[in-house]
Amino acid sequence: MKESPRRPQEDPGPSHGGPGPSHGDPGPSHGDPGPSQGGSGPSQGGSGPSHGDPGPSQGGSGPSQGGSGPSHGDPGPSHGGPGSSYGDPGPSHGDAGPAHDGPGPSRGGPGGPSHGNAAGPSRAESGPSHRGSDPAHRGSGTSRGAPGSSPGAPSSSPGALSSSPGAHHRATPWPDARAVAERAARSAARAARREPVSVPLDGALGLTLAAPLTALTDLPSFDTSAMDGWAVAGPGPWAVRDEGLLAGHAEPAPLTDGEAARIATGARIPPDTTAVLRTEHGRTDDRGRLHPVRGVVHGQDIRPRGQECRGGDQLLPLGTLATPPVLGLAAAAGYDTLTAVPRPRVDVLVLGDELLTGGLPHDGLIRDALGPLLPPWLRALGAAVRTVRRIGDDAGALERAVTTSDADLVVTTGGTAAGPVDHVHPILRRIGAELLVDGVKVRPGHPMLLARLKDDQHLVGLPGNPLAAVSGLITLAEPLLRTLAARPAPERYALPLRDAVHGHPHDTRLVPVVLRDEGAVPLHYNGPAMLRGIAAADALAVVPPGGTRSGQEAELLDLPWATAGIGVCFT
């Protein structure tokens, strides 16, 4: 693994590694009392129904584990205070089991309307549907051959959506989900047979070269001066010509021994020139003759033709990422366009009737945070975002948008659970999509999904909560888009965490961090509905189940704009 540069940043304040209940493991687990989430007796809460269907299923058709108590991602009064939890102000029942990631009742459930991709609870991570992201969690089946499609037999093989009422669903482990996305992209690239494209230099930033970059000329293509000064011939002193030599002019007349000519950096060297004498290394006498103030070496400060390369030399191999220096080199070598792998095309569909595009939240309506967040992030991953459509909770409109899209990837926000207006799974079943990933063992973002719509087209369903959606981007969209764009995988690296980080008992956690000389510092405000932590972060720490100790190394995932590479290409 590589070492990461330490970036000077503002102090993040107290970390989330302090004492107190864990964001992913809030004390005694109310959702994982043993092999069965429910059983035939009353729930562990004492006054509510059981936590789910008896047996290996992570949940049933009963009320959510969140009930009406504190939500898993709710900032609550505990954020930032001593011993505060990771977004869970107390022993929340909403995140006690390995497959529930919800901040309370689902939309339309007992807790009133909640969805949103801003600061409110998400229907994709809340309520009774959040023991997974598939209607199978309520007895309607899961994907045939999907990961863990039968109790006790987890599998990562994809399969078509199934309507088997007895099927049970298990989420895919986080590393496996990323690998599935990469394999899906490789298969799609083969199916699409996407031809390389010729792109003008000013539009090629962030693309991958589909052909080697071969020099079209010598560099430099003629002898040039490396400094301002005088071109001189033979030993000094020298008589100075009246006319000087500037860059961009035709080849000048040859010099004779004892002659000099004023010359600018980049100007063509006259034939028979011995050397270039820098301005600070020469002086003129009363008669206008030039004298050196130090020794002159033959060929000094002259860039000879072909010093950098000869025409036909390979400058860069196929597969190189077009960074700003690559574009500059291509221009210097005579290129007007580059042959590159085309950008994957993405359509973004923002779901939810409760979302506002302007002004303050009011009357149960909240601001859409994902509409502004997703397009530039997807562009930073190498995609060409073609459309961003706000569809609301209209199943017909969503189905039409999905089935008429010819993008390489369709990204939806929210609607991946099994609430009354969570339409993604039913639509995928109706159109015969193949569900490759249905829920991931990661917090936040558990109810994300990846489906194959056609051989060369996929859909990534992101949870509605903002940080959960970011988790879905990193888990499923990033490896898929990177592979489609033929970008190299980022080099893995790890740093010690300055503070302990509580972990979920069964799932990976992605925690925003800033980088300091002493390592990575976990940030506050990392609940599923929060963007405050990720907005200040350099990276996400991959926290394994059970958490990490202070000083223990954790793998880090750089955020696109925090790297030294091409990730800053947002437009």
Side-chain angles (χ1 to χ4, degrees), residues 530-565:
M530 299 179 182
L531 290 174
R532 185 171 171 181
I534 192 71
D538 296 317
L540 287 168
V542 181
V543 177
T548 56
R549 305 180 307 276
S550 176
Q552 182 178 345
E553 285 196 343
E555 181 181 354
L556 297 184
L557 305 173
D558 281 324
L559 300 177
W561 50 91
T563 65

Coordinates of all heavy atoms in Angstrom, one line a residue, residues 530-565:
M530 N -26.3 12.7 7.1 CA -25.4 13.9 7.3 C -24.4 14.1 6.2 O -23.8 13.1 5.8 CB -24.7 13.8 8.7 CG -25.7 13.7 9.8 SD -24.8 13.6 11.4 CE -26.1 13.5 12.5
L531 N -24.1 15.3 5.8 CA -23.0 15.6 4.9 C -22.0 16.5 5.6 O -20.9 16.8 4.9 CB -23.6 16.3 3.7 CG -24.4 15.5 2.7 CD1 -25.0 16.3 1.6 CD2 -23.6 14.4 2.1
R532 N -22.2 16.9 6.8 CA -21.3 17.8 7.4 C -19.9 17.2 7.6 O -18.8 17.9 7.4 CB -21.8 18.3 8.8 CG -21.0 19.3 9.5 CD -21.7 19.9 10.7 NE -20.9 20.7 11.5 CZ -21.3 21.3 12.6 NH1 -22.5 21.1 13.1 NH2 -20.5 22.1 13.3
G533 N -19.8 15.9 7.9 CA -18.5 15.3 8.1 C -17.8 15.1 6.8 O -16.6 15.4 6.6
I534 N -18.5 14.5 5.8 CA -17.9 14.3 4.5 C -17.5 15.5 3.8 O -16.5 15.6 3.0 CB -18.8 13.4 3.6 CG1 -18.1 12.8 2.4 CG2 -20.0 14.2 3.1 CD1 -17.1 11.8 2.7
A535 N -18.2 16.6 4.0 CA -17.8 17.9 3.4 C -16.5 18.4 3.9 O -15.8 19.2 3.2 CB -18.9 19.0 3.7
A536 N -16.0 18.0 5.1 CA -14.7 18.5 5.6 C -13.7 17.4 5.4 O -12.5 17.6 5.8 CB -14.9 18.8 7.1
A537 N -14.0 16.3 4.8 CA -13.1 15.1 4.8 C -12.1 15.1 3.7 O -12.4 15.7 2.6 CB -13.9 13.8 4.8
D538 N -11.0 14.4 3.9 CA -10.0 14.1 2.8 C -10.3 12.7 2.3 O -9.9 12.4 1.1 CB -8.6 14.1 3.4 CG -8.2 15.5 3.8 OD1 -8.5 16.5 3.1 OD2 -7.5 15.6 4.9
A539 N -10.8 11.8 3.1 CA -10.9 10.4 2.7 C -12.0 9.7 3.6 O -12.6 10.4 4.5 CB -9.6 9.7 2.9
L540 N -12.3 8.5 3.3 CA -13.2 7.6 4.1 C -12.3 6.5 4.6 O -11.6 5.8 3.8 CB -14.3 7.1 3.3 CG -15.4 8.1 2.9 CD1 -16.4 7.6 1.9 CD2 -16.2 8.5 4.2
A541 N -12.4 6.3 5.9 CA -11.7 5.1 6.5 C -12.6 3.9 6.4 O -13.8 4.0 6.7 CB -11.4 5.4 8.0
V542 N -12.1 2.8 6.0 CA -12.8 1.5 5.9 C -12.6 0.8 7.3 O -11.5 0.3 7.6 CB -12.3 0.7 4.8 CG1 -13.0 -0.7 4.7 CG2 -12.3 1.4 3.5
V543 N -13.6 0.9 8.1 CA -13.6 0.3 9.5 C -14.2 -1.1 9.4 O -15.4 -1.2 9.1 CB -14.3 1.2 10.4 CG1 -14.3 0.6 11.8 CG2 -13.7 2.6 10.5
P544 N -13.4 -2.1 9.8 CA -14.0 -3.5 9.7 C -15.0 -3.7 10.8 O -15.1 -3.0 11.8 CB -12.7 -4.3 9.9 CG -11.8 -3.5 10.7 CD -12.1 -2.1 10.2
P545 N -15.8 -4.8 10.7 CA -16.7 -5.1 11.7 C -16.0 -5.2 13.1 O -14.9 -5.8 13.2 CB -17.3 -6.5 11.3 CG -17.1 -6.5 9.8 CD -15.9 -5.7 9.5
G546 N -16.6 -4.7 14.1 CA -16.0 -4.7 15.4 C -15.2 -3.4 15.7 O -14.9 -3.1 16.9
G547 N -14.9 -2.6 14.7 CA -14.2 -1.3 15.0 C -12.7 -1.4 15.0 O -12.1 -2.5 14.7
T548 N -12.0 -0.3 15.3 CA -10.6 -0.2 15.3 C -10.2 0.5 16.6 O -10.9 1.4 17.1 CB -10.0 0.6 14.1 OG1 -10.7 1.9 14.1 CG2 -10.3 -0.1 12.8
R549 N -9.0 0.2 17.0 CA -8.4 0.8 18.2 C -7.7 2.1 17.8 O -7.3 2.3 16.7 CB -7.4 -0.1 18.9 CG -7.9 -1.5 19.3 CD -6.8 -2.3 19.9 NE -5.6 -2.4 19.1 CZ -5.4 -3.2 18.1 NH1 -6.4 -4.1 17.8 NH2 -4.3 -3.2 17.4
S550 N -7.4 2.9 18.8 CA -6.6 4.1 18.6 C -5.2 3.7 18.1 O -4.6 2.8 18.8 CB -6.5 5.0 19.8 OG -5.7 6.1 19.6
G551 N -4.7 4.2 17.0 CA -3.4 3.9 16.5 C -3.4 2.7 15.6 O -2.4 2.4 14.9
Q552 N -4.5 2.0 15.4 CA -4.6 0.9 14.5 C -4.8 1.4 13.1 O -5.5 2.4 12.8 CB -5.8 0.0 14.9 CG -5.9 -1.2 14.0 CD -7.1 -2.1 14.4 OE1 -7.6 -2.0 15.5 NE2 -7.5 -3.0 13.6
E553 N -4.1 0.8 12.1 CA -4.2 1.2 10.7 C -5.5 0.8 10.1 O -6.1 -0.3 10.4 CB -3.1 0.6 9.9 CG -1.7 1.3 10.1 CD -0.7 1.0 9.0 OE1 -1.0 0.0 8.3 OE2 0.3 1.7 8.9
A554 N -6.0 1.6 9.2 CA -7.3 1.3 8.5 C -7.0 1.7 7.0 O -6.3 2.7 6.8 CB -8.5 2.1 9.1
E555 N -7.6 1.0 6.1 CA -7.6 1.3 4.7 C -8.3 2.6 4.5 O -9.3 2.9 5.1 CB -8.2 0.2 3.9 CG -8.1 0.6 2.4 CD -8.8 -0.5 1.5 OE1 -9.2 -1.6 2.0 OE2 -8.8 -0.3 0.3
L556 N -7.8 3.5 3.6 CA -8.4 4.8 3.3 C -8.8 4.8 1.9 O -8.0 4.4 1.0 CB -7.5 5.9 3.7 CG -7.1 6.1 5.1 CD1 -6.2 7.4 5.3 CD2 -8.3 6.2 6.0
L557 N -9.9 5.5 1.6 CA -10.4 5.7 0.2 C -10.3 7.2 0.0 O -11.1 7.9 0.6 CB -11.8 5.2 0.1 CG -12.0 3.7 0.4 CD1 -13.5 3.4 0.3 CD2 -11.2 2.8 -0.5
D558 N -9.4 7.7 -0.8 CA -9.4 9.1 -1.1 C -10.6 9.6 -1.8 O -11.2 8.9 -2.6 CB -8.1 9.4 -2.0 CG -6.8 9.5 -1.2 OD1 -6.8 9.9 -0.1 OD2 -5.8 9.0 -1.8
L559 N -11.0 10.8 -1.4 CA -12.1 11.4 -2.2 C -11.6 12.1 -3.4 O -10.4 12.5 -3.4 CB -12.8 12.5 -1.3 CG -13.4 11.9 0.0 CD1 -14.0 13.0 0.9 CD2 -14.4 10.8 -0.3
P560 N -12.3 12.1 -4.5 CA -11.7 12.6 -5.8 C -11.0 13.9 -5.7 O -10.0 14.1 -6.3 CB -13.0 12.6 -6.7 CG -13.9 11.7 -6.1 CD -13.7 11.7 -4.6
W561 N -11.6 14.9 -5.0 CA -11.0 16.2 -5.0 C -9.8 16.3 -4.0 O -9.1 17.3 -4.0 CB -12.1 17.3 -4.7 CG -12.8 16.9 -3.5 CD1 -12.5 17.2 -2.2 CD2 -14.0 16.1 -3.4 NE1 -13.5 16.7 -1.3 CE2 -14.4 16.0 -2.1 CE3 -14.8 15.5 -4.4 CZ2 -15.5 15.3 -1.6 CZ3 -15.9 14.8 -4.0 CH2 -16.3 14.7 -2.6
A562 N -9.6 15.3 -3.2 CA -8.6 15.4 -2.2 C -7.3 14.6 -2.7 O -6.3 14.6 -2.0 CB -9.0 14.7 -0.9
T563 N -7.3 14.1 -3.9 CA -6.2 13.4 -4.4 C -5.3 14.3 -5.2 O -5.8 15.4 -5.6 CB -6.6 12.2 -5.3 OG1 -7.3 12.7 -6.4 CG2 -7.5 11.3 -4.5
A564 N -4.1 13.9 -5.5 CA -3.3 14.7 -6.4 C -3.4 14.4 -7.9 O -2.7 14.9 -8.7 CB -1.8 14.5 -6.0
G565 N -4.4 13.5 -8.2 CA -4.5 13.0 -9.5 C -5.6 13.8 -10.3 O -5.8 15.0 -10.1

